[in-house]
Amino acid sequence: MIVARFLPLLIGLLLAAWTVAAAWAVLSARARERRTENQLRSARRLGRMVEESPALPLLVRSDGRIEASLRLAQWLGLDAVPQYLSELDGKGRGLPKEKLEELTEAVRRCQKTAAPFRMVATPHGSTRSLALRGHLADPQVSPGGAALVWVFDFSDSESELNRLREEAARARGDFHALVSLIEAAPMPMWFRRADGELQLVNSAYVTAVGAASAEAVVAGRVELIETVEGLTPAQVARQASAKNAPIERVVHTTIGGQRRALRVSDLPLGEDGIAGYAVDIEDMEEMSRSFRAFRDAQRALLDQLSAGVAQFDAKRRLTFANQPFQRLFRLSARNMQDQPALERLLDAARDAGRVPEVRDFPVWRREKAAWFSSEDTQEEAWSLPNGTHLRIVAQPVPDGGLLLIVEDRTEQLRLSAIRDTLLRTRTATFDSLFESIAVFAPDGRMQLWNRRFAADWGLESEFLDTHPHIENLLGKIAPRLKKPDEAELVGNVVKAATLDRTERGGRIALADGRMLEFAGVPLPDGNGLLAVLDITDSQKVEDALRESNAALIEADAIKTRFLANMSYELRNPLNSIGGFAEMLQAGLGGDFNDAGRDYISSILEASGELGEHIDSLLDLSQSEAGLLPLKKEEIDVMPFVRGVVEERA
């Protein structure tokens, strides 16, 4: 009964123990499974890390068998990993024969003596560089004396090493070339230690100081530059090194017995020292002095010009403006301060009314500022509000600046207008003259003519518009002359007026019966004037006057003969009457009574009066004919008049 009572309890305890044992077994199995999975996962991770590492293992057993990854076979150019070490040379692939033999020998020695080895190999047909490092494998890896070879791909490192070798070789070559260049440089160059003492100089330095060699210069501490303001060249070099900045200065020193200007530069090179060089700028200084003198002379000359000239630099700022430019734009001293830009100068000129009136001044100002970037010379004419006319010439200069030339053409335009008016007046005057006018240059070519000239000589306007030469003109005139050979007379007159500067003239008859009179007159400008006058009507009048003169001469001769005859015919009868009357009065005809004597007295008185009238008539006739001889004498007018009055009383 007691056993039956405790049997279920015992069975329950056994089942509970069995359940606990089964649970523990299950839990232990699961823990072992998890540890196994973790270990397997870690093994795979480690294997993958080995596969991805830059070094791949190669295990060589004592019997020559090898264990390696497929990646190593790919490095060697093989399709698969061979079984033995001797199979790594695979008919043009894998390791070269000599390298394989070297590797085999090194592996054998390592297996026997545990001596590590290193070697470098390049597979067949590949540019890959492999480094092999071998040692005896750990027994846990492979018992039995196997060798473990680690293979590294250092192709990039090898390329970098080759590049560094090439750069080093190139740097050495550049260094030697630089040293040769410094030695051959025409300017003195030197190198100082950090304390400022000379360490290296070139041949130009040796020549400049007149030393025997560079070693003598360094040993004797011969300086090229003199002490300036209490500072030696070494002190200046130490200052450059302390500031870690180059120092450049212009000093004067004696080279070859001549005082020369040098631009000296000290260049700090860190802890290595200080380099220096000197450039002879004496010629540049001389050129600079000459340029400054030339610039000052040029600007003084520009101030004497009537045209305004202004110079702008590459920054578009005014560097110089002569006095005419300032007067033309009415620029004050305040406007000329601080080198104003072109835009600001135009603003000041606009305020003074010295620019044209435009619709959009800012746009117009920007257009003028574009002169600086133009490649060609710009020329404009500005008409100012006060009637002034300016000629603007903008000339870009090679340094990026601008040369601005301003010319006041107001008076010139006024004179041009006056000249045009005078030319038109002259043309109208020439065309209105009764004479034919033509002006010839000293070379014989016709310059000017009037319409009557073409009409008198029968020439076409188209021919005269070509400004013919005198020879061609004579060729056109000759057929129209009565005597063609007389055309040379016109040519001689033109040559005398233009070349000999003398006046000559002549007459010539045309084939149509007209008569022309011509004359050549030298003009003050060197040209010659040919004046031609149609004297056909005058010639006819002259001929008529000549005929009338001949008739008058003949009539005068007739009158003279008539007066002579009248003097004889009138005086003789009168003298006979008077003579016979005087004879009768003297009693030659007998005695007369008183009445007879009265008659005789009357006859004598009438004869005397008639004689006086005949004398007056003859005198008047001779005076009208110009035949009366006159006697000239000086008299007193009052006594003469008084006598005439008393006589006529």
Side-chain angles (χ1 to χ4, degrees):
M1 292 296 290
I2 297 174
V3 174
R5 188 186 304 171
F6 287 101
L7 181 60
L9 178 62
L10 181 61
I11 294 173
L13 292 174
L14 289 175
L15 291 175
W18 183 82
T19 302
V20 171
W24 179 83
V26 171
L27 293 176
S28 298
R30 288 182 177 178
R32 286 194 299 270
E33 184 180 2
R34 283 195 297 270
R35 285 196 297 270
T36 302
E37 290 178 355
N38 291 336
Q39 291 176 357
L40 182 60
R41 189 182 300 111
S42 178
R44 285 198 299 267
R45 185 169 60 251
L46 291 176
R48 191 62 183 171
M49 290 173 62
V50 171
E51 288 292 331
E52 296 296 333
S53 67
L56 299 179
L58 173 64
L59 184 63
V60 183
R61 300 183 182 276
S62 58
D63 58 355
R65 290 180 178 272
I66 62 175
E67 293 181 12
S69 64
L70 181 61
R71 185 180 173 199
L72 178 60
Q74 294 174 353
W75 281 9
L76 297 176
L78 301 175
D79 297 332
V81 179
Q83 295 183 358
Y84 294 94
L85 181 64
S86 60
E87 295 177 356
L88 291 180
D89 180 13
K91 298 180 181 180
R93 294 187 297 175
L95 294 177
K97 182 178 181 180
E98 59 276 6
K99 288 294 181 180
L100 182 58
E101 292 176 355
E102 181 182 354
L103 176 61
T104 303
E105 180 64 25
V107 168
R108 185 181 297 111
R109 186 169 57 251
C110 177
Q111 290 174 346
K112 292 182 179 180
T113 63
F117 63 90
R118 293 186 178 185
M119 62 177 294
V120 177
T122 300
H124 279 295
S126 175
T127 59
R128 189 186 301 274
S129 298
L130 302 178
L132 288 77
R133 297 181 182 181
H135 57 83
L136 192 62
D138 189 271
Q140 295 181 1
V141 176
S142 178
L148 182 60
V149 181
W150 289 95
V151 182
F152 298 86
D153 185 357
F154 70 105
S155 302
D156 296 338
S157 300
E158 181 68 15
S159 301
E160 183 69 16
L161 184 61
N162 292 334
R163 185 182 64 81
L164 293 177
R165 290 195 186 99
E166 293 177 358
E167 290 182 356
R170 186 164 57 252
R172 284 193 297 271
D174 294 342
F175 176 76
H176 291 304
L178 181 61
V179 171
S180 302
L181 178 63
I182 294 174
E183 182 65 22
M187 67 182 70
M189 304 180 71
W190 60 88
F191 179 78
R192 299 178 185 273
R193 295 192 298 269
D195 58 358
E197 297 298 330
L198 288 174
Q199 182 178 352
L200 177 66
V201 296
N202 66 346
S203 57
Y205 189 104
V206 176
T207 304
V209 299
S213 63
E215 292 77 7
V217 172
V218 175
R221 300 179 179 178
V222 181
E223 295 288 352
L224 174 66
I225 309 302
E226 303 171 357
T227 300
V228 179
E229 297 180 355
L231 295 176
T232 63
Q235 292 174 339
V236 176
R238 287 195 293 270
Q239 288 181 359
S241 179
K243 296 178 180 178
N244 195 24
I247 295 179
E248 184 175 294
R249 55 194 177 126
V250 176
V251 298
H252 290 79
T253 186
T254 303
I255 299 178
Q258 295 182 356
R259 199 69 175 169
R260 310 288 294 182
L262 302 178
R263 180 182 288 110
V264 181
S265 300
D266 291 288
L267 308 175
L269 302 179
E271 298 179 356
D272 296 331
I274 306 99
Y277 62 90
V279 180
D280 189 345
I281 60 172
E282 181 64 27
D283 296 337
M284 295 179 60
E285 288 291 321
E286 182 65 27
M287 291 178 62
S288 178
R289 289 191 292 270
S290 300
F291 173 74
R292 286 193 295 269
F294 171 76
R295 183 186 61 189
D296 295 340
Q298 184 188 45
R299 292 183 174 180
L301 176 62
L302 292 177
D303 281 334
Q304 305 301 321
L305 297 178
S306 59
V309 180
Q311 295 175 346
F312 295 85
D313 58 12
K315 297 180 180 179
R316 302 186 179 184
R317 294 189 174 275
L318 180 67
T319 58
F320 171 75
N322 65 350
Q323 295 298 324
F325 186 89
Q326 300 179 32
R327 288 195 301 269
L328 287 173
F329 285 101
R330 297 177 183 173
L331 300 177
S332 62
R334 183 173 58 86
N335 299 131
M336 301 298 295
Q337 291 178 353
D338 302 331
Q339 294 183 340
L342 177 62
E343 292 84 349
R344 203 175 85 188
L345 202 65
L346 292 176
D347 290 338
R350 185 194 184 192
D351 295 338
R354 305 304 292 175
V355 295
E357 292 289 345
V358 294
R359 183 183 301 275
D360 193 344
F361 180 76
V363 173
W364 181 84
R365 183 179 54 190
R366 286 194 296 270
E367 291 176 356
K368 306 315 166 192
W371 285 341
F372 286 90
S373 57
S374 177
E375 297 181 356
D376 301 325
T377 301
Q378 304 293 327
E379 182 173 346
E380 294 184 359
W382 290 3
S383 297
L384 305 187
N386 61 352
T388 302
H389 296 273
L390 299 180
R391 175 175 175 261
I392 309 296
V393 178
Q395 173 65 54
V397 293
D399 61 355
L402 183 72
L403 181 65
L404 193 62
I405 302 174
V406 182
E407 181 183 1
D408 188 351
R409 304 191 65 183
T410 306
E411 185 65 19
Q412 184 177 356
L413 292 177
R414 187 181 69 83
L415 293 177
S416 179
I418 294 175
R419 176 179 175 274
D420 293 341
T421 303
L422 291 177
L423 289 177
R424 290 194 295 269
T425 303
R426 183 188 65 182
T427 302
T429 303
F430 279 5
D431 289 339
S432 62
L433 292 177
F434 291 102
E435 294 180 336
S436 301
I437 298 296
V439 178
F440 291 86
D443 60 355
R445 190 168 294 278
M446 179 183 289
Q447 301 293 327
L448 299 172
W449 64 92
N450 60 355
R451 290 196 297 265
R452 192 169 183 84
F453 185 87
D456 286 346
W457 294 103
L459 301 175
E460 299 83 4
S461 299
E462 292 78 8
F463 171 72
L464 296 179
D465 289 339
T466 62
H467 298 275
H469 194 270
I470 184 62
E471 298 297 335
N472 298 332
L473 184 64
L474 295 180
K476 287 282 187 177
I477 290 176
R480 294 174 172 82
L481 301 182
K482 187 175 183 180
K483 296 180 179 180
D485 296 340
E486 293 181 351
E488 293 296 331
L489 297 176
V490 180
N492 294 335
V493 169
V494 173
K495 292 178 182 178
T498 55
L499 301 179
D500 300 337
R501 312 298 296 166
T502 57
E503 296 185 10
R504 293 181 59 180
R507 293 185 178 182
I508 195 168
L510 301 182
D512 57 3
R514 290 182 295 136
M515 179 68 68
L516 301 180
E517 184 176 5
F518 56 90
V521 180
L523 299 178
D525 59 355
N527 296 332
L529 174 67
L530 178 64
V532 183
L533 182 63
D534 189 350
I535 60 171
T536 305
D537 297 336
S538 300
Q539 187 67 29
K540 293 179 179 179
V541 172
E542 183 181 351
D543 294 340
L545 290 176
R546 188 176 291 108
E547 294 176 358
S548 299
N549 187 43
L552 290 175
I553 292 175
E554 181 63 25
D556 185 68
I558 294 173
K559 182 174 64 174
T560 302
R561 290 194 299 271
F562 170 74
L563 291 176
N565 292 332
M566 286 296 295
S567 176
Y568 176 77
E569 294 296 335
L570 292 176
R571 288 182 182 275
N572 284 339
L574 185 58
N575 290 335
S576 298
I577 294 172
F580 285 117
E582 290 177 354
M583 291 176 63
L584 290 176
Q585 187 180 16
L588 295 179
D591 294 331
F592 291 93
N593 54 16
D594 294 335
R597 286 192 294 269
D598 291 336
Y599 291 147
I600 292 174
S601 298
S602 298
I603 292 172
L604 290 175
E605 184 177 356
S607 298
E609 292 178 1
L610 182 58
E612 291 178 1
H613 291 309
I614 291 174
D615 291 337
S616 299
L617 179 61
L618 292 177
D619 290 340
L620 180 59
S621 300
Q622 290 180 352
S623 175
E624 291 294 332
L627 301 177
L628 181 65
L630 299 176
K631 180 181 180 182
K632 297 180 180 180
E633 62 179 13
E634 293 183 0
I635 60 173
D636 293 334
V637 178
M638 292 305 296
F640 174 74
V641 173
R642 188 180 295 110
V644 173
V645 171
E646 292 177 351
E647 181 181 356
R648 298 297 181 183

